[in-house]
């Protein structure tokens, strides 16, 4: 991480704020690798973050412009920025599963519906780990957590024929992918496509939380054991919802919201300037 840190991140934020063994650093690094692959500089990106472990890991690390949103509301700030900033300025948002699929879901769906030009990186640790390990929106059914000592009875967004990416696809997203945090170049390639897309993109990263999910739900804080459990989720022949790769690629199929809004505004202004006399004389 050091090389990426020196080039793009504020040194006072290094080493990471995450617990030892957490997968968050792997997610953060994938995005930096994608930024490098796209040959973007510090001035080319605005990086927004949400709340919780994912937000804390990423917040104010980027040397360029960045911001933090309140829980689930990072998308509203990004919408304002997207409409105000030039098309070539990239907006990356790193959020957690609560920010994306819980409290922020309605905002997220509207971004997808509008095809807003942002790349949302969801770092999903299967629950509310920053507050001690309560169950959330992607916690597997039956998991013992801090708030479900006898196991959860609520199904999440990733089971029993429900996949949150399907909902986002139906809402109008133009690029969607899912990976584990410990994957290699194929995960970076998805982030490259997401950042490069002139439209709404989301890459769903599932990463191991050793401190709470590992300790409470899996019964072990041992990093190797926790990582092996997560690796099995993504093994060939496993649950198709945990298949890595691009889930939906419709880049270029719909106009990007801010660009089309600008075009429309220019057209209306032009028409108004030629008709003003007629209307009000
Ligand atoms: S609590 Fe879990 S998700 Fe949060 S930083 Fe620690 S290991 Fe990572």
């Amino acid at each position: 991480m050091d090389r990426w840190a020196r080039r793009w991140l504020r040194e006072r934020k290094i080493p990471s704020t995450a617990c030892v063994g957490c997968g968050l650093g792997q997610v953060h690094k994938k995005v930096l690798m994608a930024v490098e692959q796209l040959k973007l500089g510090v001035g080319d990106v605005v990086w927004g973050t949400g709340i919780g472990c994912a937000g804390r890991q990423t917040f104010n690390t980027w040397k360029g412009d960045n911001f933090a949103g309140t829980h689930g509301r990072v998308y509203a700030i990004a919408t304002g920025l997207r409409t105000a900033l030039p098309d070539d300025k990239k907006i990356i948002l790193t959020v957690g599963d609560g920010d994306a699929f819980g409290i922020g879901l309605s905002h997220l769906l509207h971004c997808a519906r509008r095809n807003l030009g942002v790349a949302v990186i969801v770092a999903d640790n299967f629950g509310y780990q920053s507050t001690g390990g309560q169950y959330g929106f992607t916690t597997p059914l039956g998991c013992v957590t801090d708030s479900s000592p006898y196991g959860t009875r609520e199904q999440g967004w990733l089971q029993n024929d429900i996949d949150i990416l399907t909902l986002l696809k139906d809402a109008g997203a133009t690029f969607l992918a899912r990976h584990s945090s410990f994957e290699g170049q194929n995960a970076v390639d998805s982030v490259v496509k997401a950042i490069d897309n002139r439209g709404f993109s989301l890459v769903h990263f599932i990463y191991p939380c050793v401190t709470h999910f590992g300790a409470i739900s899996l019964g072990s804080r041992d990093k190797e054991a926790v990582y092996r459990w997560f690796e099995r989720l993504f093994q060939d022949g496993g649950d198709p919802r945990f298949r890595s790769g691009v889930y939906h690629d419709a880049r270029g199929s719909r106009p990007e919201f801010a660009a089309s809004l600008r075009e429309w505004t220019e057209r209306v202004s032009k028409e108004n300037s030629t008709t003003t006399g007629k209307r009000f004389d």
Side-chain angles (χ1 to χ4, degrees):
M1 193 74 167
D2 280 1
R3 180 161 79 87
W4 319 99
R6 275 196 300 277
R7 187 155 175 201
W8 285 301
L9 304 182
R10 293 170 207 262
E11 280 177 30
R12 68 186 171 81
K13 299 283 285 192
I14 308 298
S16 148
T17 57
C19 310
V20 175
C22 178
L24 270 172
Q26 299 167 328
V27 177
H28 201 172
K29 188 172 169 183
K30 299 270 185 308
V31 184
L32 295 174
M33 289 169 86
V35 164
E36 179 170 87
Q37 208 166 304
L38 286 163
K39 298 189 173 24
L40 296 171
V42 162
D44 297 324
V45 174
V46 178
W47 199 322
T49 55
I51 299 294
C53 295
R56 196 173 54 225
Q57 156 75 18
T58 320
F59 170 63
N60 207 19
T61 50
W62 181 245
K63 277 184 183 167
D65 293 329
N66 59 80
F67 65 93
T70 50
H71 207 184
R73 303 298 179 263
V74 69
Y75 317 104
I77 302 168
T79 303
L81 284 171
R82 182 72 284 163
T83 51
L85 293 172
D87 278 349
D88 56 358
K89 184 79 93 173
K90 305 291 184 190
I91 299 181
I92 300 174
L93 306 175
T94 299
V95 297
D97 39 299
D99 256 314
F101 307 146
I103 190 168
L105 182 59
S106 170
H107 291 254
L108 190 71
L109 291 175
H110 290 299
C111 283
R113 173 178 62 82
R114 291 167 169 155
N115 198 26
L116 188 79
V118 294
V120 182
I121 309 298
V122 182
D124 181 356
N125 53 15
F126 284 167
Y128 287 101
Q129 312 304 351
S130 69
T131 50
Q134 295 79 29
Y135 72 86
F137 309 93
T138 52
T139 311
L141 185 68
C143 265
V144 170
T145 72
D146 193 48
S147 55
S148 58
Y150 301 103
T152 57
R153 296 311 309 146
E154 236 181 82
Q155 73 167 45
W157 279 124
L158 281 170
Q159 52 205 149
N160 298 336
D161 296 326
I162 294 179
D163 188 334
I164 186 69
L165 294 189
T166 308
L167 192 67
L168 286 159
K169 177 178 174 240
D170 291 346
T174 43
F175 184 80
L176 297 164
R178 175 174 290 134
H179 296 276
S180 70
S181 63
F182 37 85
E183 271 169 66
Q185 187 58 39
N186 62 330
V188 178
D189 290 346
S190 286
V191 181
V192 166
K193 286 176 185 152
I195 297 173
D196 210 29
N197 180 24
R198 285 189 79 206
F200 179 87
S201 300
L202 183 141
V203 183
H204 182 195
F205 276 104
I206 290 169
Y207 74 94
C209 162
V210 284
T211 302
H212 295 302
F213 189 81
I216 308 170
S217 303
L218 303 181
S220 172
R221 227 178 169 159
D222 174 68
K223 192 184 162 202
E224 265 187 55
V226 175
Y227 271 70
R228 266 200 304 275
W229 186 89
F230 275 88
E231 265 166 8
R232 279 198 294 275
L233 278 185
F234 283 87
Q235 263 164 13
D236 279 351
D239 188 324
R241 271 155 295 200
F242 293 101
R243 200 172 287 147
S244 294
V246 173
Y247 177 90
H248 173 61
D249 189 350
R251 286 173 292 160
S253 63
R254 299 176 57 211
E256 192 280 318
F257 174 68
S260 70
L261 193 66
R262 262 194 292 278
E263 233 174 75
W264 176 248
T265 309
E266 270 168 35
R267 197 173 133 192
V268 171
S269 310
K270 214 179 272 170
E271 280 173 12
N272 275 353
S273 69
T274 56
T275 55
T276 300
K278 285 177 200 153
R279 281 186 185 174
F280 298 108
D281 265 357

